């Protein structure tokens, strides 16, 4: 099947679908109406003098205004640039300059973030100014034509622009649709649409005609209440979101969440301990660990071609048209993943040096260390950037986190490295305890020594009420690293 008859990523709405409930206005919006408004917006952009290929930023929360703007711009041949509204105004201004945005479509709450001199249109109160009286047909993109530009989180520097094509993203969407339920499913969308996870799941829901509750932003209690109230069947998110849900014990005790039958978790490493906790919350659900990168997909791994059951933490088996290789490891079945897919970016925006470093002959170096098992399933080991050497041994924080989260008192663990005169670098663990449970540093140290290599055990522990997260709801290790350094200094090492 194909999600778009025209080959345009903005032309993917299943018009006879169930509807889109926007929590911002409390109204159920018919898919046919969404499609028609997107087509009218596409026609209206011509009157403003915007030309095919122009970049238009979107600075807004999830909801109907964002969705119509996103689809309509692409239908017109324009390039939407969703912008993380949790960034500083200075970084937002940098992104607008970097992508060459001719205008910004924003919601009212984000107006104060905009720099002077940029054309700004409030799409929550003034979207009508963008709508033509009559809709227009979507443009038919040429091969490789850019559909959208997403910006990476920028946790290790300024955000990088990732231009993605219509045909590449439709390939990824079609791959996902091929393994998805086409029944009358019901879901909640709360991951931010400026991030690939939330944006891609929005397109999946629209293309399949799911009933979707759109939350303007993630809130654990609100998410659980929406899933129960609307008898949702399919959910998607990232590990931090589900870890926060697990803390809402009073709410979980009175909600019926047995309607949920399928959960996809991605964008960050998943642990068996979290799978077990999610299973306890949603007892009827099958839980799938998902993997993809903004630069190459996000479709990469799917079901085994022979129908073999996927191990709980496995990422899946590569799709037939995904090329892969594992490099720099101790064996051909472990190493840094390099991949080439129909969706791989041609190059980062305005960063030829970074492009040359990460891309060669269409192969993208993900920076992720993976392992391939005997059945051909892939497993995530850790980020190559996060790996550090402790006393001559390679330590992957993700592996230490998985081990610590097996302790019954640990809800979440985050491990970072800090410099050490003797070992070079040592692990420091930040812990969020499971609801109603307590544990001390001494017990966790002994648990780590008993369940993992001695060289990788954390030398210090800090206990937090919750993990700091960045705009993509991933653990913000940049916040934790200076805390780890102070903690080790206090130990007098």
């Amino acid at each position: 099947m194909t999600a778009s008859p025209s080959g345009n990523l903005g032309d993917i709405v299943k018009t006879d679908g169930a509807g889109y409930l926007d929590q911002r206005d409390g109204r159920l919006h018919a898919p046919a109406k969404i499609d028609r408004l997107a087509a009218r917006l596409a026609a209206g952009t011509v009157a403003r003098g915007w030309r095919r290929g122009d970049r238009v930023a979107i600075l807004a929360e999830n909801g109907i205004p964002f969705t119509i703007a996103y689809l309509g711009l692409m239908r017109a041949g324009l390039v939407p640039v969703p912008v993380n509204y949790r960034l500083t105004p200075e970084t937002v201004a940098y992104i607008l300059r970097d992508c060459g945005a001719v205008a910004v479509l924003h919601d009212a709450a984000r107006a104060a973030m905009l720099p002077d001199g940029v054309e700004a249109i409030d799409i929550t109160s003034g979207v009508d100014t963008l709508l033509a009286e009559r809709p227009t047909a979507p443009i038919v993109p040429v091969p490789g034509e850019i559909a959208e530009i997403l910006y990476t989180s920028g946790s290790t520097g300024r955000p990088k622009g990732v231009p993605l094509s219509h045909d590449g993203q439709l390939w990824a969407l079609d791959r996902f649709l091929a393994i998805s339920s086409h029944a009358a499913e019901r879901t909640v969308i709360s991951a931010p649409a400026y991030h690939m996870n939330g944006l891609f799941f929005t397109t999946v829901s629209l293309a399949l005609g799911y009933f979707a509750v759109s939350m303007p932003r993630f809130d654990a209690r609100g998410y659980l209440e929406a899933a129960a109230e609307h008898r949702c069947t399919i959910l998607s998110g990232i590990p931090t979101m589900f870890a926060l849900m697990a803390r809402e014990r009073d709410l979980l005790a009175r909600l019926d969440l047995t309607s949920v039958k399928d959960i996809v978790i991605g964008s960050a490493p998943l642990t068996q301990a979290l799978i077990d906790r999610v299973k306890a919350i949603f007892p009827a659900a099958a839980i799938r660990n998902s993997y993809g990168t903004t630069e190459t997909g996000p479709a990469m791994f799917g079901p085994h071609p022979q129908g073999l059951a996927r191990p709980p933490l496995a990422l899946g088996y590569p799709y037939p048209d995904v090329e892969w290789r594992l490099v720099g490891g101790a064996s051909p079945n472990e190493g840094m993943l390099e991949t080439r897919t129909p969706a791989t970016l041609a190059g980062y925006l305005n960063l030829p040096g970074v492009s040359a470093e990460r891309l060669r002959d269409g192969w993208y170096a993900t920076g992720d260390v993976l392992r391939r098992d005997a059945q051909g399933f892939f497993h995530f080991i850790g980020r190559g950037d996060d790996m550090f050497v402790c006393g001559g041994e390679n330590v992957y924080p993700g592996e230490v986190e998985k081990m610590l989260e097996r302790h019954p008192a640990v809800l979440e663990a985050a491990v970072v490295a800090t410099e050490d005169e003797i070992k070079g670098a040592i692990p420091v663990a930040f812990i969020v305890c499971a609801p109603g449970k307590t544990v001390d540093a001494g017990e966790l140290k002994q648990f780590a020594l008993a369940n993992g290599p001695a060289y990788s055990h954390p030398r210090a522990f800090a206990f937090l009420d919750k993990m700091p997260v960045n705009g993509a709801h991933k653990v913000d290790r940049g916040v934790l690293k200076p805390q780890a350094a102070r903690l080790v200094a206090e130990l007098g090492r």
Side-chain angles (χ1 to χ4, degrees), residues 92-287:
V92 170
Y94 164 76
I95 290 174
L96 300 183
R97 292 194 306 271
D98 187 58
C99 73
V102 298
V104 181
L105 310 184
H106 65 93
D107 57 22
R110 256 45 69 173
M113 297 182 66
L114 299 175
D116 295 334
V118 63
E119 182 179 2
I121 301 168
D122 186 337
I123 54 174
T124 47
S125 60
V127 71
D128 289 348
T129 64
L130 284 171
L131 302 179
E133 184 176 344
R134 295 182 178 180
T136 187
I139 66 102
V140 177
V142 301
E145 183 169 349
I146 299 303
E148 61 188 353
I149 299 174
L150 303 185
Y151 274 79
T152 61
S153 61
S155 59
T156 57
R158 278 183 164 174
K160 299 187 290 291
V162 180
L164 300 169
S165 67
H166 286 272
D167 48 1
Q169 290 305 294
L170 284 171
W171 166 82
L173 182 57
D174 288 343
R175 277 298 181 192
F176 198 86
L177 298 188
I179 63 168
S180 297
S181 169
H182 289 245
E185 307 293 357
R186 305 172 71 83
T187 192
V188 180
I189 300 171
S190 68
Y194 56 71
H195 182 260
M196 177 59 86
N197 186 300
L199 189 61
F200 188 72
F201 195 59
T202 297
T203 61
V204 168
S205 299
L206 290 168
L208 288 171
Y210 290 173
F211 171 87
V213 180
S214 175
M215 297 179 66
R217 70 195 72 83
F218 174 73
D219 168 71
R221 294 182 73 86
Y223 188 102
L224 290 165
E225 288 168 343
E229 177 185 353
H230 299 286
R231 304 299 294 161
C232 288
T233 57
I234 292 178
L235 300 177
S236 174
I238 68 173
T240 306
M241 292 166 53
F242 288 94
L244 289 170
M245 292 182 221
R247 302 177 67 182
E248 303 295 337
R249 290 193 301 166
D250 63 321
L251 183 62
L252 291 171
R254 56 185 174 82
L255 291 181
D256 179 2
L257 294 164
T258 56
S259 62
V260 179
K261 64 180 183 181
D262 193 18
I263 297 176
V264 180
I265 306 179
S267 298
L270 182 61
T271 65
Q272 184 62 52
L274 184 58
I275 288 177
D276 295 341
R277 289 187 173 95
V278 174
K279 189 70 176 176
I281 298 171
F282 305 99
I287 300 166

Side-chain angles (χ1 to χ4, degrees), residues 230-431:
H230 299 286
R231 304 299 294 161
C232 288
T233 57
I234 292 178
L235 300 177
S236 174
I238 68 173
T240 306
M241 292 166 53
F242 288 94
L244 289 170
M245 292 182 221
R247 302 177 67 182
E248 303 295 337
R249 290 193 301 166
D250 63 321
L251 183 62
L252 291 171
R254 56 185 174 82
L255 291 181
D256 179 2
L257 294 164
T258 56
S259 62
V260 179
K261 64 180 183 181
D262 193 18
I263 297 176
V264 180
I265 306 179
S267 298
L270 182 61
T271 65
Q272 184 62 52
L274 184 58
I275 288 177
D276 295 341
R277 289 187 173 95
V278 174
K279 189 70 176 176
I281 298 171
F282 305 99
I287 300 166
R288 178 155 42 104
N289 192 9
S290 179
Y291 174 88
T293 68
T294 301
E295 290 88 345
T296 62
M300 189 169 297
F301 300 112
H304 197 284
Q306 297 175 7
L308 301 180
R310 181 190 300 197
L313 286 176
L315 306 173
Y317 190 97
Y319 287 118
D321 38 5
V322 169
E323 298 177 86
W324 62 269
R325 58 195 183 198
L326 300 175
V327 301
S331 77
N333 288 317
E334 183 171 321
M336 197 84 69
L337 174 66
E338 294 183 356
T339 183
R340 184 164 59 183
T341 81
T344 302
L345 81 166
Y348 289 101
L349 188 66
N350 305 324
L351 293 171
V354 177
S355 298
E357 180 183 337
R358 301 293 292 271
L359 285 154
R360 295 184 182 179
D361 299 323
W363 287 86
Y364 175 72
T366 65
D368 293 327
V369 178
L370 270 60
R371 175 179 59 83
R372 182 174 182 260
D373 67 22
Q375 295 178 321
F377 289 110
F378 280 71
H379 302 254
F380 184 84
I381 301 299
R383 283 286 303 170
D385 293 343
D386 292 338
M387 188 274 289
F388 60 95
V389 178
C390 177
E393 300 284 354
N394 293 346
V395 176
Y396 290 97
E399 294 295 283
V400 184
E401 291 161 2
K402 290 177 187 177
M403 175 269 296
L404 290 172
E405 288 185 13
R406 294 205 303 268
H407 192 287
V410 176
L411 176 64
E412 287 182 275
V415 173
V416 300
T418 192
E419 292 183 4
D420 183 75
E421 290 185 6
I422 298 173
K423 297 291 187 180
I426 54 174
V428 175
F430 293 84
I431 303 295

